[in-house]
Amino acid sequence: MKLTDVVSFAGRNITQKKTQSFLTIIGVVIGILAIVSLISLGYGVQNYITGEITTIGANIISLIPSQNFGGPAVSKTFNDKDVDAVKSVRGVDEVVAVWLGSYELEYRDESIYGNILVVEPSKFTYVYSTTWGYEPYKGRWIEDSDKYSCMIGYGLATNSFDDEIDIGDKITINDTKYKVIGILEETGNPATENSAILSKDVGQALFEIDDEYNRMIVSVKSGEDVLRVSEDIQKEVEDSRGDENFSVLTAEQLAESINSIFNVLTIFLVGVAGISLLVGAVGISNTMHMSILERRKDIGILKALGAENTTILSIFVVEAGFLGLFGGIIGTIIGILIAKAVEYFAAVSGYGIIKAWISWELIIGVLIFSFVVGILSGYFPARSGAKLNPVDTLRGE
């Protein structure tokens, strides 16, 4: 029997039982769509981070008062002595000491919990405009002389409340009204996208802190060795604090840390999605077993006409492969749509960092994988069918 005949025979078997075939591939569809959407979003975020490093340059160093990146700052916070220690390092251009907290923000009878960035305005403006190249979307930068004024992120202005916040509007924080004098352009970083930016004196009074910071952003002078500067900062801050419970991260190290978190998360979620794929594989195997039982006489006739065991095996293996492939096609399409939908709604919510990564390598790889899953699922039932005795099958035994 020619290969085209094998494919035609297998395809006809699937189309004759459309409902059964569709129910069989549901598990494969769910598993594949989950894998496609999760891989797409996971790699999309990683590619975005890499692109941001290229955009902003590698001359940024971040300090957090914890050795566990992404975890709570269990150690003591930074203080002015630590900031001065960083400034003393050769090659440091500017240091922005930040307190990042959250507070209830009110605007026109609506209230949400949002981020508050407490900064020295002149230093914040210098690093964000000169080093990162950001500009106000509307209005102007916050200045040292601004007291009851604030700058806000693009996401907070456009997506957080029913009505958009514009220049001159006022938001209420802890019963105090702050006039919006600037809206930062879209950055994709939730820390700034959904934040209100206050000057140091006002912000420290709001959080009842004095000489405390939980972030430092360091700009390194052009031409300096960023790794050497980061190592010197590590030593100076260790001497200043008297402990090592803090992290000094270059832009590349920060990206690697974030990527490692997403890699572990993606592997875990894909593993969970793989359970659905396993259920789909069992469904294909069960369907092929039932199909062989229903077509025992057909197998007997084919053998009586001279079909070899390998031909019978090929027909049912190809049929199982097609079931896996069809499930993979449907799952891939739905998975791409879900990933794109997540990207859209994330962007609307101010999380521009979430991107969907779609490539032909991903699509073709997933389709091949689903086809192979189908083949492996149907192989053992197909082998048992190929070994049936033609005399017994024609007798109906």
Side-chain angles (χ1 to χ4, degrees), residues 21-88:
S21 298
F22 175 75
L23 293 175
T24 299
I25 66 175
I26 286 179
V28 177
V29 170
I30 294 174
I32 292 297
L33 76 86
I35 289 172
V36 168
S37 57
L38 291 171
I39 290 178
S40 172
L41 292 170
Y43 277 97
V45 170
Q46 293 180 24
N47 291 338
Y48 178 86
I49 292 172
T50 303
E52 282 295 290
I53 291 175
T54 304
T55 301
I56 67 174
N59 61 332
I60 289 292
I61 298 173
S62 301
L63 284 80
I64 55 174
S66 171
Q67 290 187 334
N68 298 318
F69 176 74
V74 296
S75 179
K76 64 182 181 181
T77 55
F78 297 123
N79 55 35
D80 287 333
K81 183 182 177 183
D82 301 326
V83 175
D84 291 337
V86 174
K87 289 180 180 178
S88 69

Side-chain angles (χ1 to χ4, degrees), residues 313-349:
L313 177 67
S314 299
I315 291 172
F316 288 104
V317 166
V318 170
E319 181 178 339
F322 279 169
L323 287 172
L325 180 61
F326 293 153
I329 292 172
I330 297 172
T332 299
I333 293 172
I334 298 175
I336 291 173
L337 294 175
I338 290 175
K340 285 295 184 181
V342 171
E343 177 184 339
Y344 171 77
F345 287 110
V348 169
S349 302

Side-chain angles (χ1 to χ4, degrees), residues 273-289:
I275 296 175
S276 297
L277 194 58
L278 178 61
V279 172
V282 171
I284 291 176
S285 182
N286 182 62
T287 296
M288 296 310 302
H289 181 71

